[in-house]
Amino acid sequence: MCLGIPGRVEKVEDNRAKVSFGEVSVAVSLDLLAEPVSAGDYVIVHAGFALERLDEEEAQRTLEMLREISELETR
Amino acid sequence: MKHVDEYRDSGLSAAVAGRIRKLSTRPASFMEFCGGHTATIARYGLESLLPAQISLLSGPGCPVCVTPVGMIDRMIALARLPGMIVASYGDMLRVPGSASSLLVERGRGSADVRVVYSSYDALEAARSNPGRQVVFFGIGFETTAPATAAVVLKARELGVDNFSVVSAHKTTPGIIRALLDSDEVKLDGLICPGHVSVITGTAPYRYAAEQRRVPCVICGFEPLDVLQSVLMLVEQVESHRAGVEIQYRRGVREQGNEKARRLMDEVFEPADSVWRGIGTVPGTGLSLRPELSRWDALARYRLDLPEPQEPAGCICGKILRGAASPEECRLFGSRCTPATPVGACMVSGEGACQVRYRWRRHPA
């Protein structure tokens, strides 16, 4: 139910955006976002609303941490 | 897909699992609050990667599962009113009420029940059917409640009078507190719901960590997210720490989404709420504020209904509290299957029973 899917913002018009998930794209409301997003940003989409912009830097940091664990474990 | 595939890497998963096995020295039970996590854990067989002394328990975080029979009965009664259109997220249609379901009513032609993807679609249905009434069935936790708040404010802005909502929304802090205070299940850690936390931030888990010394980690929904969260919980357990940590940092900010919470505050006030199998938990529901009663279907349509009938033999409630596993239910897999669900936990794709049935998640 509380499923959120990360999608890429393709186009923004007023308070709505076209967001793509691979091949599929849907119209999404931006009414819950405090800050504007633009094409190329990723957002978490739930039931037709963008809940939050995905933080690319934090995503990189998380992956970095996972790779470090992996290096430690396979050494 | 970006922000998805990276977190499904089998090599990294094996490494994180290896790390967990190395660090874990004592038995620990962690509850995944959210049904979305229950599904990820089962689908990817994550328990098979963990040491036997770590057990994962499903919690009450499945909105379809915790919506009480009486609320389903109310929606069915509303749907039967002449000229009524009920708009609902698809998950709720198959949930059995005392004697019927929204899906059965629709199939009989006795009700016009429509599945919507978004609350705004329900408002659109009202605008394109000006001679009829549309009631939107608002269910879900803090993830979904802002979408209901937004549609109420939109209906007010556009002056749409043939639209109202039933708020069956629930909130997380009170139920987590109730679970921990009942002492029915001993928990050594909480895997906290990622998308609820996108809205709430870390606040709902402070009580668990600070007052009850239960470690908490806010977790994303891919397999590596869950494994890393378990690792973070094990690290807390092994070092005798109890804090609220965020694994799902790409989506969750410490303070959550304040704008979404402001919308919720504008539309809703806290209310007592009935949880299937758990009972009334103070302050865990959301009612529309009195000044918005024009859009509150529960205020507009006061229907007298007979006492709801819980399905006999169903132990959904115990399962939702983490106190029983689906296999302990006599109905599981015999009378109760995804095709013919008796209890709500078998209806939802995130319900503990359906997940166990489909993915054969083995009890710890």
Side-chain angles (χ1 to χ4, degrees):
Chain A
M1 174 80 206
C2 293
L3 181 68
I5 302 175
R8 184 180 188 275
V9 175
E10 300 295 339
K11 207 168 79 183
V12 178
E13 247 173 64
D14 302 324
N15 235 14
R16 295 186 76 70
K18 194 178 138 191
V19 175
S20 68
F21 311 92
E23 310 270 286
V24 187
S25 70
V26 294
V28 165
S29 166
L30 304 178
D31 288 349
L32 302 180
L33 296 185
E35 284 161 25
V37 290
S38 46
D41 283 341
Y42 278 76
V43 289
I44 302 172
V45 176
H46 169 72
F49 287 79
L51 296 186
E52 190 59 272
R53 187 178 58 79
L54 274 159
D55 189 322
E56 290 279 345
E57 270 175 38
E58 288 291 358
Q60 283 316 316
R61 227 168 281 162
T62 300
L63 289 169
E64 201 57 42
M65 221 182 285
L66 289 166
R67 281 187 213 113
E68 272 168 31
I69 294 169
S70 174
E71 263 163 45
L72 275 173
E73 284 304 304
T74 47
R75 199 175 283 168
Chain B
M1 261 169 35
K2 198 177 160 181
H3 294 299
V4 173
D5 297 338
E6 307 92 298
Y7 304 93
R8 294 181 181 175
D9 185 283
S10 61
L12 289 180
S13 298
V16 176
R19 184 108 198 121
I20 292 169
R21 285 195 297 271
K22 236 173 251 173
L23 284 185
S24 165
T25 65
R26 66 195 77 208
S29 298
F30 301 143
M31 175 179 275
E32 82 268 8
F33 178 87
C34 175
H37 287 141
T38 304
T40 301
I41 289 162
R43 184 173 302 154
Y44 293 95
L46 298 184
E47 279 172 313
S48 67
L49 296 174
L50 299 177
Q53 59 191 354
I54 293 184
S55 43
L56 303 180
L57 302 171
S58 303
C62 163
V64 174
C65 308
V66 295
T67 300
V69 172
M71 187 57 85
I72 305 293
D73 290 349
R74 188 161 294 278
M75 290 312 298
I76 291 170
L78 278 170
R80 285 176 179 166
L81 294 176
M84 177 64 76
I85 297 171
V86 162
S88 168
Y89 297 124
D91 322 38
M92 292 311 291
L93 263 63
R94 296 176 61 234
V95 182
S98 295
S100 181
S101 70
L102 287 169
L103 189 68
V104 166
E105 295 296 312
R106 184 170 82 170
R108 277 187 194 144
S110 47
D112 187 348
V113 180
R114 303 187 187 181
V115 172
V116 290
Y117 167 60
S118 153
S119 59
Y120 280 173
D121 297 342
L123 184 61
E124 265 321 297
R127 295 182 78 197
S128 47
N129 291 280
R132 300 177 66 184
Q133 289 292 331
V134 174
V135 170
F136 173 65
F137 191 7
I139 71 147
F141 290 94
E142 289 93 333
T143 320
T144 321
T148 304
V151 80
V152 170
L153 295 176
K154 185 70 86 183
R156 183 176 67 178
E157 179 194 324
L158 299 174
V160 183
D161 272 334
N162 64 325
F163 176 80
S164 54
V165 306
V166 166
S167 171
H169 288 293
K170 291 187 161 29
T171 51
T172 46
I175 191 69
I176 291 177
R177 190 183 184 124
L179 264 181
L180 294 174
D181 289 354
S182 80
D183 289 319
E184 187 176 25
V185 185
K186 191 193 160 298
L187 295 179
D188 304 294
L190 267 178
I191 298 174
C192 303
H195 292 136
V196 163
S197 308
V198 167
I199 305 299
T200 63
T202 54
Y205 320 111
R206 297 250 169 78
Y207 173 76
E210 288 163 16
Q211 311 288 316
R212 304 293 309 240
R213 306 284 305 153
V214 175
C216 294
V217 174
I218 295 171
C219 176
F221 289 87
E222 298 303 328
L224 261 172
D225 290 321
V226 174
L227 286 171
Q228 191 182 20
S229 296
V230 170
L231 174 59
M232 291 166 76
L233 284 175
V234 167
E235 283 168 345
Q236 288 200 45
V237 167
E238 295 294 331
S239 58
H240 305 283
R241 281 184 295 123
V244 183
E245 296 177 347
I246 306 173
Q247 178 278 331
Y248 193 31
R249 298 208 80 96
R250 61 191 184 280
V252 174
R253 325 276 185 262
E254 195 93 30
Q255 71 287 358
N257 180 335
E258 285 163 347
K259 183 179 179 192
R261 285 209 306 280
R262 270 203 308 278
L263 291 182
M264 282 170 68
D265 283 346
E266 198 178 337
V267 171
F268 298 118
E269 57 188 17
D272 295 351
S273 187
V274 183
W275 296 62
R276 187 186 288 250
I278 295 174
T280 302
V281 186
T284 56
L286 295 171
S287 294
L288 264 72
R289 293 192 176 277
E291 60 269 29
L292 292 164
S293 60
R294 260 166 79 186
W295 293 280
D296 184 355
L298 295 177
R300 271 169 82 153
Y301 306 98
R302 296 193 176 272
L303 305 170
D304 278 328
L305 298 175
E307 274 294 297
Q309 301 297 314
E310 296 284 342
C314 172
I315 62 163
C316 218
K318 240 177 143 180
I319 293 169
L320 289 166
R321 301 194 300 270
S325 73
E327 286 86 352
E328 291 170 54
C329 181
R330 283 186 299 114
L331 308 179
F332 177 76
S334 55
R335 256 186 63 212
C336 186
T337 66
T340 54
V342 176
C345 300
M346 188 59 95
V347 173
S348 168
E350 294 169 354
C353 294
Q354 189 185 123
V355 166
R356 187 69 59 88
Y357 187 89
R358 287 175 62 193
W359 307 99
R360 309 258 168 232
R361 175 178 174 181
H362 295 292

